[in-house]
């Protein structure tokens, strides 16, 4: 049998490697390293249709990821989807008339919220509301409209 | 006819007695865990034989499972032009499923069977009754440190397995097949959630660690004290652990990622 010092040292190495593996899973594999901490602020936007948007979907400005979707709710009176977005604290100079649209990354990719800054001089703060929104494009609707216009064109 | 019924009844009773003894054993085990704390040397010795000695097989299997995932995932994804998502496929399947499950199966084969054989042999050579005669509770002196060692080692081994798998997938995907390195890591980071995916994997591996060590120790403790009985107990450990791990994995997955 090994003497007790070697045993203790190898057990120590084993535990350290285990902790390092978990640390690597946390930092390198999962998104813990770029999670938005408590320093962010949240804004809401109302959409007629959010398509396949999900909680944790990215929020980007000019293609740069600035935050994520924190919550998706439904307004019982206006029948609109209420999307709460959490934006990192370092991007605190978005104008109040920023508009939000839901786009798809690639043809089959996931959906994300794209923010388009406006010209106002006041900046969005915690609890702000985005008035100008553009719903997700639902592929079936687009195809439906296309077929409809084709059929109309044939009738003439 | 009556003989057949009698045999069925006998088997049924034996089965439920075993299950009952197993649970009593578990409660006794939980009760004797606090007595390990003042004697950490016992635990360290067991951590060495249960954890450190399983380290190499976990390391190598993790690397190869990751490499296979990289290869197979790439072949499927490239048809959709989505080979950039290889990192997600490799990382998610490892941290959610393969890491905890495969390392638990390997753990049952490598450490569980050794535990059963060791305890079974102690029983058949009457070391356990000898201890009792010297007023040393074998539950506290022998069983509890081994259980605790399995409980601690299993999540560590699963984390090492997953980390090695991700690195193996990186070698094959980025090094061999030419997936973009940035895309491999960034897509992975964007999709793998620490609490949802990594921590649930850790919870799974803790549950598997408890179950596999419990089964292994119980089979050893309950073995018929002959060489044949110990052999049979060792086989049962591996079979029952594998079944329990796979069955529990389904239940846990349904609860965690429904």
């Amino acid at each position: 049998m090994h003497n007790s010092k070697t045993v203790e040292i190898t057990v120590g190495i084993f535990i350290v490697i285990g902790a390092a593996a978990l640390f690597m899973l946390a930092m390198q594999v999962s998104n813990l390293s770029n999670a938005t901490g408590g320093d962010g602020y949240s804004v809401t936007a109302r959409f007629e249709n959010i398509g396949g948007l999900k909680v944790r979907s990215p929020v980007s400005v000019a293609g740069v990821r600035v935050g994520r979707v924190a919550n998706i709710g439904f307004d019982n009176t206006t029948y609109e989807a209420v999307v709460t977005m959490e934006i990192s604290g370092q991007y605190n100079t978005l104008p109040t008339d920023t508009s939000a649209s839901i786009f798809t990354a690639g043809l089959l990719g996931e959906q994300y919220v794209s923010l388009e800054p406006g010209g106002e001089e006041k900046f969005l703060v915690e609890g702000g509301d985005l008035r100008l929104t553009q719903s997700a494009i639902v592929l079936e609707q687009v195809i439906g409209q296309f077929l409809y216009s084709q059929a109309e064109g044939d009738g003439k | 006819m009556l003989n057949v019924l009698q045999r069925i009844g006998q088997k049924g009773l034996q089965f439920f007695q075993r299950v009952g003894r197993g649970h009593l054993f578990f409660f006794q085990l939980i009760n004797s865990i606090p007595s390990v704390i003042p004697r950490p040397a016992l635990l360290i010795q067991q951590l060495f034989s249960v954890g450190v000695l399983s380290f190499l097989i976990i390391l190598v299997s993790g690397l190869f499972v990751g490499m296979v995932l990289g290869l197979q995932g790439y072949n499927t994804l490239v048809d959709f032009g989505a080979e950039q998502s290889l990192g997600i496929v490799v990382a998610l399947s490892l941290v959610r499923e393969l890491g905890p499950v495969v390392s638990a199966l390997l753990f049952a084969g490598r450490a569980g069977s050794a535990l059963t054989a060791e305890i079974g042999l102690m029983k058949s050579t009457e070391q356990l009754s000898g201890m009792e005669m010297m007023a040393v509770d074998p539950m506290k002196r022998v069983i509890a440190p081994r259980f605790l060692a399995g409980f601690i080692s299993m999540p560590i081994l699963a984390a090492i397995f997953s980390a090695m798998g991700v690195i193996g997938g990186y070698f094959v995907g980025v090094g061999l097949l030419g997936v973009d390195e940035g895309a491999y890591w960034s897509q992975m980071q964007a999709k793998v959630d620490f609490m949802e995916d990594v921590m649930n994997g850790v919870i799974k591996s803790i549950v598997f660690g408890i179950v596999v060590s419990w089964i292994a120790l119980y089979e050893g403790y309950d073995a018929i004290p002959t060489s044949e009985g110990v052999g049979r107990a060792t086989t049962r450990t591996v079979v029952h652990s594998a079944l329990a791990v796979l069955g529990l994995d389904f239940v846990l997955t349904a609860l965690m990622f429904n």
Side-chain angles (χ1 to χ4, degrees):
Chain A
M1 206 65 204
H2 307 258
N3 69 45
S4 76
K5 198 170 178 191
T6 356
V7 168
E8 280 168 13
I9 290 170
T10 42
V11 169
I13 293 170
F14 172 64
I15 291 176
V16 167
I17 291 177
L22 193 63
F23 183 75
M24 179 202 151
L25 289 180
M27 289 303 162
Q28 188 78 340
V29 175
S30 76
N31 52 6
L32 197 65
S33 49
N34 54 18
T36 50
D39 61 335
Y41 61 99
S42 61
V43 294
T44 55
R46 291 158 173 277
F47 294 94
E48 275 176 28
N49 191 335
I50 57 165
L53 196 72
K54 291 186 186 69
V55 174
R56 298 197 51 81
S57 293
V59 176
S60 64
V61 178
V64 179
R65 186 184 161 128
V66 297
R68 62 187 175 85
V69 173
N71 187 29
I72 295 174
F74 180 69
D75 189 329
N76 270 325
T77 50
T78 58
Y79 308 113
E80 282 173 328
V82 182
V83 175
T84 311
M85 289 167 276
E86 193 145 305
I87 298 180
S88 298
Q90 53 180 312
Y91 307 106
N92 56 2
T93 56
L94 292 172
T96 48
D97 61 345
T98 297
S99 65
S101 343
I102 298 176
F103 291 140
T104 309
L107 193 58
L108 299 168
E110 61 167 347
Q111 292 191 301
Y112 65 98
V113 180
S114 173
L115 301 180
E116 187 77 22
E120 277 283 337
E121 293 187 354
K122 281 193 223 153
F123 297 136
L124 279 171
V125 288
E126 167 70 32
D129 199 19
L130 302 179
R131 302 268 161 64
L132 302 166
T133 61
Q134 187 192 328
S135 293
I137 294 168
V138 181
L139 207 57
E140 286 90 333
Q141 279 178 2
V142 176
I143 294 171
Q145 277 168 2
F146 173 72
L147 290 178
Y148 189 69
S149 61
Q150 280 290 98
E152 255 186 355
D154 289 347
K156 275 176 193 165
Chain B
M1 184 65 198
L2 271 180
N3 273 342
V4 174
L5 278 178
Q6 190 198 356
R7 199 162 304 157
I8 292 173
Q10 202 185 9
K11 289 276 174 219
L13 279 177
Q14 271 174 5
F15 173 76
F16 283 113
Q17 273 176 357
R18 277 182 57 79
V19 172
R21 280 204 306 273
H23 283 86
L24 286 178
F25 178 81
F26 190 64
F27 290 127
Q28 258 182 304
L29 187 56
I30 299 292
N31 267 332
S32 35
I33 281 178
S35 64
V36 180
I37 294 162
R39 276 172 291 182
L42 284 179
L43 177 64
I44 288 173
Q45 184 64 49
Q46 289 313 315
L47 272 176
F48 178 78
S49 57
V50 169
V52 176
L53 294 182
S54 314
F55 178 70
L56 195 65
I57 185 173
I58 293 284
L59 205 70
V60 175
S61 342
L63 194 66
F64 277 105
V65 166
M67 283 160 82
V68 169
L69 273 178
L71 209 58
Q72 293 284 17
Y74 181 85
N75 284 339
T76 313
L77 289 171
V78 79
D79 289 346
F80 303 101
E83 69 270 20
Q84 311 278 314
S85 312
L86 185 68
I88 306 172
V89 174
V90 172
L92 273 188
S93 40
L94 275 166
V95 295
R96 281 187 176 182
E97 295 294 336
L98 290 173
V101 171
V102 178
S103 50
L105 294 177
L106 290 170
F107 182 75
R110 171 65 186 78
S113 55
L115 284 177
T116 307
E118 196 183 3
I119 307 274
L121 214 65
M122 278 185 182
K123 191 185 179 191
S124 67
T125 53
E126 296 184 346
Q127 294 180 40
L128 293 185
S129 6
M131 274 185 184
E132 270 168 15
M133 223 169 276
M134 293 188 291
V136 177
D137 189 352
M139 215 61 190
K140 291 178 180 163
R141 184 70 176 70
V142 175
I143 309 279
R146 284 168 171 74
F147 178 75
L148 215 55
F151 172 75
I152 296 171
S153 310
M154 193 48 228
I156 295 178
L157 291 172
I160 293 171
F161 187 96
S162 300
M164 283 316 289
V166 170
I167 293 170
Y170 171 82
F171 284 153
V172 169
V174 178
L176 211 63
L177 298 169
V179 175
D180 181 55
E181 180 178 350
Y184 184 84
W185 292 115
S186 69
Q187 295 248 11
M188 191 188 290
Q189 284 172 4
K191 276 291 162 65
V192 181
D193 186 66
F194 182 71
M195 291 317 278
E196 280 279 303
D197 299 317
V198 178
M199 280 327 270
N200 276 347
V202 171
I203 292 171
K204 267 188 184 177
S205 61
I206 291 174
V207 173
F208 295 159
I210 293 174
V211 169
V212 171
S213 334
W214 172 26
I215 292 177
L217 292 170
Y218 173 65
E219 291 293 355
Y221 197 70
D222 200 53
I224 302 159
T226 58
S227 43
E228 196 199 350
V230 175
R232 221 184 285 160
T234 312
T235 313
R236 266 208 306 264
T237 295
V238 176
V239 174
H240 289 184
S241 303
L243 288 177
V245 164
L246 294 171
L248 266 177
D249 181 50
F250 173 73
V251 175
L252 288 174
T253 304
L255 287 176
M256 287 169 175
F257 311 103
N258 51 349

